[in-house]
């Protein structure tokens, strides 16, 4: 067995960001890779461990993004690495629908066990979050024999053709990529910070509006699925008001509609619960899972009610690589780490530190319009002080400042004015506080 990967958990800059080697490598990136690929931080990463990313110039950068909520168990988590090494030497591929192997079965057993609800459950493994969402919709349509899918404002569900249609935001996700799939209906989302009605009745008012629109514009009996992120990810970490998710789930149940929770970003301990729906005891019919599932290896899943998952004929689901043995080994390591390293509690602890620090910043810097999130999924929405006008300029300045000091943060939001924090759940308090100190300096450096 090789020595476990490690890297001192300290921010350390040895060159400006980007350093000379990254500058050269990024020229090759520009020459060799499609211009359609964005970039959040202009450095090239060589190795990583826990919450530190080391670039090719030797700079050690604090990771507050986890590769977009993927390395929840930490970069190169030792349980994941050990299982991957063992697996890659034993078996890398048969295609599960050609000849099965245990890893796929074990991951499905684990998902059926840890997801909410004690009814019989079954799972399907695929390669990406978008593929999980596509499959959940296929399964819901097949089960209900209905065509329509209900989605929400500010939603993000992926970049494939069907999932582009399900995603709300035009630029950059949809612009010029149509025509899109049909039978997709978008409903208002109770985004409390920007809600025009009364906040006292936001839950009931939004549910009334949505159910009325479904009945008038689609007909509930035509709806196969209601698809929602329990906390919206790319949309800007919008947390729907209390009672909204249970109300929506009840409406789906009363009308024979499959209720699908897209927990691709909010799942796997991120929010201080194993899954975000657990907060209000909501039990989805189907869940789409990816990102945090396998500690950085590509894997995704649909997990849900056995009678729904089993309604599809053999051969109707699948794919060449779905549930690859190495990715499955990584998932078993990640799930083990979440349990053994008590990462649910750790996420709640990180969330408390983040939330307190961000609220303290908001008290000093009126550019912060709102602090929101749950657990280690926190965000700030930046506005021009005294208004709710999105302040993209300030977001860009804060991000740039943090990057220059070796702190990687990500943005989000329909209006591009949200900074989101998704640290690996193994980040030390000291490292997190160091990063938050840099963030404070970034706000102090704004001239407004
Ligand atoms: C990232 C994301 C997806 C898409 O996942 P990919 O693996 O990038 O295809 C779908 N839903 C949500 C909520 C996401 O955050």
């Amino acid at each position: 067995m090789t020595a476990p990967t490690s890297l001192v958990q300290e921010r350390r800059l040895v060159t400006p960001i980007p350093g000379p080697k990254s500058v050269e490598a990024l020229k090759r990136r520009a020459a060799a890779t499609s211009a359609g690929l964005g970039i959040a931080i202009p450095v090239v990463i060589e190795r990583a461990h826990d919450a530190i990313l080391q670039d090719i110039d030797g700079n050690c950068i604090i990771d507050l993004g986890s590769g977009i909520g993927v390395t929840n168990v930490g970069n190169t988590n030792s349980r994941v690495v050990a299982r991957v090494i063992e697996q890659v030497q034993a078996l890398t591929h048969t295609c599960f629908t050609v000849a099965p192997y245990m890893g796929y079965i074990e991951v499905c057993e684990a998902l059926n066990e840890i997801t909410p609800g004690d009814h019989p459950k079954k799972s399907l493994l695929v390669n990406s979050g978008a593929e999980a969402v596509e499959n959940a919709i296929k399964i819901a349509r097949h089960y209900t024999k209905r065509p329509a899918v209900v989605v929400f404002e500010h939603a993000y569900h992926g970049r494939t053709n069907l999932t582009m249609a399900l995603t709300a935001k035009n630029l950059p996700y949809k612009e010029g990529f149509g025509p899109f799939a049909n039978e997709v209906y978008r409903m208002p989302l109770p985004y409390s910070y920007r809600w025009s009605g009364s906040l006292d009745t936001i839950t009931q008012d939004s549910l009334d509006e949505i159910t009325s629109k479904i009945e008038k514009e689609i007909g509930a009996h035509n709806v196969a699925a209601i698809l929602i992120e329990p906390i919206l990810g790319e949309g800007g970490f919008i947390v729907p008001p209390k009672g909204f998710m249970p109300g929506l789930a009840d409406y789906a149940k009363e009308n024979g509609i499959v209720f699908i929770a897209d927990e691709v970003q909010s799942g796997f301990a991120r929010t201080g619960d194993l899954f975000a729906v657990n907060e209000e005891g909501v039990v989805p019919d189907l869940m789409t899972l990816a990102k945090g599932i396998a500690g950085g290896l590509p894997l995704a899943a649909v997990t849900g009610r056995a009678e729904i998952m089993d309604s599809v004929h053999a051969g109707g689901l699948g794919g060449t690589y779905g549930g690859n043995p190495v990715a499955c080994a990584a998932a078993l390591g990640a799930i083990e780490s979440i349990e053994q390293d008590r990462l649910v509690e750790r996420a709640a602890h990180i969330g408390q530190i983040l939330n307190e620090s961000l609220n303290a910043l908001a008290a000093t810097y009126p550019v912060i319009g709102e602090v929101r999130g749950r657990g280690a999924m926190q965000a700030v929405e930046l506005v021009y002080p005294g208004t709710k006008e999105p302040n993209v300029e300030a977001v860009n300045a804060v991000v740039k400042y943090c990057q220059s000091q070796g702190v990687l943060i990500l943005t989000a939001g329909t209006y591009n004015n949200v900074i989101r924090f998704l640290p690996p759940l193994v980040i030390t308090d000291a490292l997190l506080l160091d990063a938050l100190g840099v963030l404070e300096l970034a706000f102090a450096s704004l001239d407004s």
Side-chain angles (χ1 to χ4, degrees):
M1 178 67 50
T2 42
T5 315
S6 76
L7 210 50
V8 177
Q9 295 298 295
E10 258 173 32
R11 180 169 61 101
R12 191 188 62 192
L13 296 184
V14 295
T15 73
I17 300 284
K21 288 183 181 165
S22 281
V23 169
E24 281 310 305
L26 290 173
K27 285 184 193 155
R28 288 171 59 185
R29 178 193 196 269
T33 69
S34 168
L37 297 163
I39 182 169
I41 184 168
V43 295
V44 174
I45 303 298
E46 189 164 71
R47 54 195 288 122
H49 189 62
D50 285 353
I52 288 289
L53 307 174
Q54 189 179 81
D55 74 10
I56 55 177
D57 289 286
N59 297 302
C60 290
I61 295 162
I62 302 177
D63 179 10
L64 294 188
S66 301
I68 321 187
V70 170
T71 50
N72 292 2
V73 296
N75 290 283
T76 59
N77 173 289
S78 59
R79 296 177 200 270
V80 172
V81 169
R83 285 183 186 254
V84 163
I85 290 171
E86 201 175 315
Q87 184 60 50
V88 80
Q89 291 171 331
L91 175 73
T92 57
H93 179 82
T94 58
C95 185
F96 188 72
T97 57
V98 171
Y101 39 88
M102 283 315 294
Y104 191 117
I105 298 168
E106 287 167 6
V107 170
C108 291
E109 286 172 346
L111 297 177
N112 299 341
E113 176 71 30
I114 66 177
T115 47
D118 46 20
H119 52 277
K121 279 175 257 166
K122 294 212 176 171
S123 292
L124 161 75
L125 302 183
V126 291
N127 301 294
S128 69
E131 210 188 335
V133 173
E134 291 250 358
N135 276 282
I137 301 300
K138 277 173 68 174
I139 295 165
R141 282 177 167 157
H142 201 274
Y143 175 72
T144 58
K145 310 275 184 272
R146 302 172 177 183
V149 179
V150 165
V151 292
F152 293 85
E153 292 170 346
H154 311 289
Y156 181 84
H157 298 292
R159 296 170 180 271
T160 58
N161 189 262
L162 175 59
T163 59
M164 277 193 294
L166 303 170
T167 288
K169 192 175 173 178
N170 181 49
L171 260 175
Y173 307 124
K174 302 166 79 160
E175 175 69 26
F177 297 134
F180 304 109
N182 57 17
E183 288 297 331
V184 173
Y185 300 87
R186 194 167 309 284
M187 296 294 150
L189 190 277
Y191 181 174
S192 58
Y193 182 63
R194 295 186 179 279
W195 188 250
S196 55
S198 160
L199 288 184
D200 296 334
T201 54
I202 182 171
T203 298
Q204 199 52 50
D205 292 351
S206 56
L207 286 171
D208 287 348
E209 188 178 346
I210 290 160
T211 54
S212 159
K213 278 174 77 74
I214 289 176
E215 270 140 43
K216 297 288 177 298
E217 297 173 18
I218 318 168
H221 62 283
N222 291 316
V223 179
I226 294 176
L227 170 68
I228 189 164
E229 303 159 80
I231 295 179
L232 284 79
E234 303 302 304
F237 288 16
I238 304 164
V239 185
K242 200 166 156 35
F244 179 75
M245 291 292 293
L248 207 55
D250 287 346
Y251 177 79
K253 190 171 187 176
E254 286 156 18
N255 290 280
I257 298 168
V258 177
F259 186 71
I260 308 173
D262 182 351
E263 291 247 17
V264 167
Q265 193 157 159
S266 57
F268 293 98
R270 173 54 57 190
T271 62
D273 264 311
L274 204 41
F275 297 101
V277 288
N278 296 6
E279 166 89 0
E280 291 188 87
V282 170
V283 178
D285 297 312
L286 300 179
M287 294 175 81
T288 52
L289 307 168
K291 295 199 166 105
I293 193 173
L297 271 83
L299 188 72
V302 183
T303 295
R305 292 188 186 280
E307 73 269 22
I308 301 177
M309 295 297 292
D310 281 342
S311 68
V312 181
H313 50 275
L317 304 174
T320 305
Y321 291 115
N324 169 271
V326 181
C328 286
L332 293 171
I335 293 167
E336 182 184 74
S337 175
I338 289 169
E339 287 167 357
Q340 301 291 315
D341 304 329
R342 306 170 74 87
L343 296 186
V344 168
E345 286 150 60
R346 190 68 207 150
H349 173 76
I350 290 167
Q352 204 173 347
I353 295 177
L354 269 174
N355 190 266
E356 278 170 19
S357 303
L358 297 175
N359 274 305
L361 288 180
T364 312
Y365 301 102
V367 70
I368 299 179
E370 188 177 53
V371 177
R372 59 175 180 255
R374 192 185 296 154
M377 186 172 184
Q378 298 281 334
V380 289
E381 175 157 358
L382 303 194
V383 293
Y384 288 95
T387 74
K388 288 191 177 178
E389 196 191 326
N391 192 337
V392 181
E393 227 173 25
V395 166
N396 292 340
V398 168
V399 167
K400 214 161 171 211
Y401 183 95
C402 288
Q403 286 183 354
S404 75
Q405 301 303 307
V407 177
L408 171 56
I409 53 176
L410 300 175
T411 60
T414 296
Y415 314 104
N416 305 316
N417 67 327
V418 173
I419 299 174
R420 58 174 150 175
F421 302 92
L422 290 167
L425 306 179
V426 296
I427 193 170
T428 62
D429 286 9
L431 205 57
L432 182 59
L433 292 171
D434 181 33
L436 287 166
V438 171
L439 185 71
E440 157 113 62
L441 294 175
F443 278 101
S445 77
L446 296 176
D447 28 50
S448 66

